[in-house]
Amino acid sequence: MTHPRTLLDKLWSAHEILRREDGTSILWVDRHLVHEGSHHAFGKLAARGAKVTAPELTFAVVDHYAPTRNRDQIADPQISRMIGTLRKNAAQHGLRLFDLMDPAQGIVHVIGPEQGLTLPGLLINCGDSHTSTHGAFGAMAFGIGATEVAHVLATQTIWQKKPQSMRITVDGSLGPGVSAKDIALNWIARLGTGGAQGCAIEYAGNAVRDLSMEGRMTLCNLSIEGGARLGMVAPDEVTFAYLKGRPYAPKGDDWEAALADWANLRSDDGAAFDREVTLHGDAIAPTVTWGTSPEQALPVTENIPDPATLDPGKADAARAALDYMGLPIGRPLDGIQVDQVFVGSCTNGRIEDLRAAAAVMAGRKAKVPGMVSPGSAQVKAQAEQEGLDRIFTEAGLEWVAAGCSMCVGMNGDLVAPGKRCASSTNRNFRGRQGPGARTHLMSPAMVAAAAVTGTITDVRPLLHGRSV
Amino acid sequence: MAGWSTHSGRAIALPLHNVDTDQLIPARFMSASRSEGYGKFLLHDMRFDADGAEIADFPLNRHEGASVLVAGRNFGSGSSREAAVYALVDAGITAVIAPNFGDIFASNAVNNGLLPARLPEHEVTQLIDSLADQSAAVLIDLRAGELRIGDQGYAFELDDSWRTKLINGWDDIDLTLNHEDQIQTFKDQRFQTTRWAWPAAQDQEPPSKRAQ
């Protein structure tokens, strides 16, 4: 009998071309996704006079700088230039570009799965840390820097050292109003932003199996915030049902061959992981961040912690965070006033996220302004078909086009200095949503609750009598 | 990129944890061309106030010419933006010493000749305390994996393959092209056995979709 292997072992060996004596391997890259931010990498390629070696495996998308309004006449010359540069590079190298007006445009980590570019068993790279999202399909997917992007463009391979393996098992089931976002913030708060440093996480357990593909993507997306190299969920019927018939997914005999291969993409019984962590799904409450790091998160029912009671190594960071966030020690999280809300991003801009926010918001008015930016043009179209856009606009929120938008603020959508934003995004870093912006991360349902009450609020009572 | 094996310069403390890449270079500066130099964007929103004036007591403003930063836990976490490394390198920084680094940041650093040196957290804390708001002479020996700040010596951790890259200033693309035959063989085999891993051609779409 062969030695039991983890999902990571299987994916790694399927992509390893060779391993050097120092333990570094060259891996074959099945999909390479690029965006406007890849301009440095294309520049490096041009400086060598090299070309994209596998344009059929390289896909380009306008997302980070995508304006969410008035797309046909971009006012900001810098944004226009960034998008123009990507268009030029895509045209020069013969890449399929999901341009601003493309009906399939959207955030790279939303459209990859949506288009069937993301498949189980693939190695996927992109010059964006949230590439870990694609691991939700049982792919090995991780973000890389510009030099590495240039390397993948030129060679369709990447040098990597095999990461340690870590399994996070979430058993039991999640309560109503609790989502994949809450699982992620929960484990990151518990283990810290370095808690999974350098690891490949496999998420397992009933609460993970019960998640939709959207939920699994949210969970894998946030793996990087806990220091992980990548996150994964073994593919199953939920995965296959999501992918069947997607534009770039295998068809006919290829689909059957793929299903046969994908059936083996799971950790064998008895496979050993370098690290194991177990969480109890039933014990997870809606969670929000109070500081400037994703690990500074607590259940919404708790109070702002006293830094003096924290691990000494974390006390200084907590003091600095509370100073930046303008929050007093001991104040209940529930009831903190917010100035605005944002629903969107590669973490929580999918159709299920919009449905969850709309379920809370339906028939209610927002007390603060806010913006809803769907993760892709297709999500936007579907939401409009379902009438979700009207729920948001009737509540008083802005319904805009797809892109990274206010998550990273590169397209001009910003939180003003000192303002507090309830946000479905992935980073509450200082200045992430704009200089001086104060970001509280939470699930889309929690953002909707913050919108209708004007404060950070436990969403659960707001769901009574509603179907979610 | 030129390699290096020893460095002597001035070290300063940046006594902050979780200095993420969004802070190292705020997003709004990332569309700039590298040729204009990214050094002026380094930690921009910590170095300058809202009016663009220097914040006098910020360590980088107090010590012009520092080439080594000693920082807290989880340096360079967050976004994959290599521009964060460009900002450090263009500001004259050759090494960052911290208990641990964001993974993508660390490999970006090595690709640009910047050393991400790991020291145990208690040693970093001690170093930060001893430096306080002064600068001190620093000597780094990459081959030996040792550094000396003032009269204290430390052994730092660095992945061996990264050490080799820093010393030789290797360009990975050239290295990889040495293995071109093996890569081509692998690709051909994968295409034979795992054809589904190539994106379905769009002309294979069912007629109903094509008509749309």
Side-chain angles (χ1 to χ4, degrees):
Chain A
M1 176 174 163
T2 54
H3 192 64
R5 299 195 300 157
T6 62
L7 174 57
L8 173 69
D9 293 333
K10 294 178 185 182
L11 289 168
W12 192 268
S13 66
H15 291 87
E16 189 173 51
I17 299 167
L18 64 90
R19 190 182 312 173
R20 259 188 345 222
E21 270 181 20
D22 64 10
T24 317
S25 307
I26 310 186
L27 305 176
W28 174 254
V29 178
D30 295 302
R31 294 287 184 278
H32 189 203
L33 309 169
V34 296
H35 52 82
E36 311 93 300
S38 310
H39 69 108
H40 286 296
F42 281 105
K44 283 171 187 283
L45 206 65
R48 298 179 66 95
K51 59 181 180 38
V52 176
T53 190
E56 76 280 16
L57 301 179
T58 312
F59 294 82
V61 61
V62 176
D63 59 5
H64 283 69
Y65 289 84
T68 44
R69 308 173 194 80
N70 305 324
R71 292 193 155 179
D72 40 359
Q73 40 186 353
I74 303 173
D76 185 324
Q78 208 175 22
I79 289 173
S80 173
R81 183 169 50 81
M82 289 298 281
I83 294 172
T85 303
L86 182 68
R87 282 180 183 143
K88 192 177 67 109
N89 284 321
Q92 186 188 338
H93 294 283
L95 310 182
R96 165 73 166 99
L97 170 68
F98 297 92
D99 207 341
L100 268 185
M101 299 304 184
D102 193 306
Q105 179 266 345
I107 307 175
V108 66
H109 312 308
V110 177
I111 71 163
E114 202 169 70
Q115 292 299 311
L117 289 165
T118 304
L119 300 172
L122 299 188
L123 192 162
I124 302 172
N125 281 146
C126 173
D128 188 283
S129 59
H130 291 106
T131 307
S132 59
T133 310
H134 307 264
F137 291 79
M140 195 159 58
F142 51 93
I144 54 179
T147 302
E148 292 171 315
V149 170
H151 186 275
V152 179
L153 289 173
T155 69
Q156 202 58 30
T157 65
I158 183 106
W159 288 96
Q160 282 290 301
K161 228 174 195 169
K162 191 175 176 183
Q164 289 211 312
S165 62
M166 174 171 181
R167 180 161 57 187
I168 298 184
T169 304
V170 192
D171 59 23
S173 55
L174 300 177
V178 182
S179 69
K181 182 68 157 283
D182 301 300
I183 298 179
L185 290 176
N186 192 284
W187 83 251
I188 297 166
R190 186 165 135 189
L191 302 181
T193 45
Q197 191 94 45
C199 291
I201 299 175
E202 182 178 344
Y203 294 98
N206 284 340
V208 174
R209 286 275 143 240
D210 288 347
L211 291 174
S212 63
M213 282 318 299
E214 285 83 355
R216 294 177 190 186
M217 284 188 255
T218 300
L219 190 56
C220 290
N221 173 282
L222 288 160
S223 303
I224 181 78
E225 310 307 339
R229 195 84 187 95
L230 55 96
M232 294 186 294
V233 177
D236 58 12
E237 292 303 325
V238 176
T239 322
F240 310 147
Y242 177 98
L243 287 172
K244 194 165 171 47
R246 300 268 167 189
Y248 289 93
K251 294 173 173 62
D253 290 348
D254 283 346
W255 174 256
E256 296 305 322
L259 282 182
D261 285 355
W262 295 345
N264 299 316
L265 292 178
R266 58 193 65 252
S267 291
D268 297 330
D269 290 341
F273 289 80
D274 296 308
R275 298 187 60 191
E276 291 260 19
V277 174
T278 300
L279 306 179
H280 304 289
D282 303 270
I284 296 174
T287 303
V288 300
T289 59
W290 49 265
T292 55
S293 159
E295 72 181 15
Q296 292 167 329
L298 281 171
V300 65
T301 48
E302 302 274 321
N303 300 342
I304 304 274
D306 181 349
T309 65
L310 299 176
D311 167 345
K314 301 203 163 180
D316 286 348
R319 278 187 202 100
L322 290 179
D323 181 47
Y324 179 84
M325 294 296 286
L327 290 170
I329 292 165
R331 196 213 183 291
L333 285 165
D334 199 313
I336 291 172
Q337 294 212 344
V338 299
D339 299 299
Q340 64 193 92
V341 301
F342 177 71
V343 177
S345 85
C346 62
T347 306
N348 281 127
R350 298 183 179 79
I351 189 68
E352 186 181 277
D353 302 316
L354 302 189
R355 287 180 191 143
V360 176
M361 215 167 269
R364 292 175 169 142
K365 294 284 180 204
K367 289 194 174 157
V368 292
M371 186 191 280
V372 183
S373 173
S376 74
Q378 286 197 7
V379 169
K380 184 168 191 276
Q382 191 176 346
E384 287 170 358
Q385 214 166 29
E386 295 178 16
L388 307 183
D389 59 321
R390 287 198 305 279
I391 292 175
F392 295 127
T393 53
E394 281 166 15
L397 300 185
E398 255 190 296
W399 175 248
V400 298
C404 299
S405 181
M406 206 179 275
C407 176
V408 64
M410 287 175 172
N411 73 332
D413 295 341
L414 293 170
V415 175
K419 296 292 182 193
R420 193 178 300 285
C421 182
S423 187
S424 74
T425 56
N426 41 53
R427 288 185 175 141
N428 51 341
F429 297 163
R430 288 162 170 265
R432 167 79 174 180
Q433 294 190 286
R438 293 165 167 167
T439 304
H440 293 271
L441 303 178
M442 60 191 81
S443 71
M446 285 285 287
V447 173
V452 300
T453 60
T455 66
I456 293 175
T457 301
D458 190 338
V459 67
R460 290 173 294 188
L462 294 174
L463 291 170
H464 287 160
R466 296 187 172 223
S467 58
V468 286
Chain B
M1 186 181 76
W4 62 275
S5 54
T6 59
H7 169 75
S8 65
R10 303 292 296 177
I12 60 168
L14 190 67
L16 300 167
H17 295 297
N18 299 319
V19 176
D20 55 75
T21 56
D22 276 76
Q23 288 170 73
L24 286 167
I25 182 164
R28 61 189 186 281
F29 302 122
M30 285 174 46
S31 64
S33 154
R34 178 75 188 276
S35 60
E36 68 176 87
Y38 270 44
K40 58 183 180 283
F41 307 132
L42 176 63
L43 291 163
H44 185 279
D45 294 346
M46 292 191 174
R47 278 166 72 196
F48 304 101
D49 66 18
D51 300 322
E54 260 194 16
I55 296 169
D57 63 355
F58 190 71
L60 279 167
N61 294 336
R62 292 171 57 96
H63 303 285
E64 226 168 278
S67 59
V68 174
L69 299 180
V70 186
R73 205 177 329 111
N74 211 25
F75 189 91
S77 53
S79 163
S80 64
R81 55 184 75 168
E82 195 164 304
V85 173
Y86 301 160
L88 285 159
V89 169
D90 291 358
I93 306 297
T94 301
V96 181
I97 300 165
N100 63 324
F101 295 89
D103 270 356
I104 307 176
F105 172 85
S107 54
N108 289 342
V110 171
N111 280 328
N112 289 277
L114 174 75
L115 165 68
R118 290 191 305 274
L119 284 186
E121 183 146 16
H122 70 273
E123 292 188 359
V124 170
T125 307
Q126 184 195 48
L127 251 178
I128 286 176
D129 287 348
S130 70
L131 281 166
D133 51 6
Q134 303 301 310
S135 73
V138 57
L139 188 67
I140 299 174
D141 184 338
L142 266 185
R143 281 201 173 79
E146 287 168 3
L147 61 93
R148 178 159 285 281
I149 294 185
D151 50 9
Q152 284 285 334
Y154 301 88
F156 61 84
E157 285 178 65
L158 176 71
D159 181 282
D160 275 340
S161 62
W162 285 356
R163 184 192 320 274
T164 313
K165 270 182 80 170
L166 283 168
I167 291 172
N168 294 295
W170 273 343
D171 179 326
D172 275 346
I173 295 179
D174 289 332
L175 272 183
T176 307
L177 293 176
N178 291 334
H179 303 292
E180 217 163 11
D181 291 349
Q182 283 151 293
I183 294 170
Q184 189 59 45
T185 305
F186 183 96
K187 180 182 180 178
D188 293 345
Q189 269 174 8
R190 187 159 174 80
F191 190 72
Q192 290 306 316
T193 60
T194 321
R195 173 127 4 169
W196 58 259
W198 268 256
Q202 291 305 284
D203 60 7
Q204 287 177 8
E205 278 186 359
S208 58
K209 280 205 166 173
R210 242 184 299 168
Q212 282 175 7

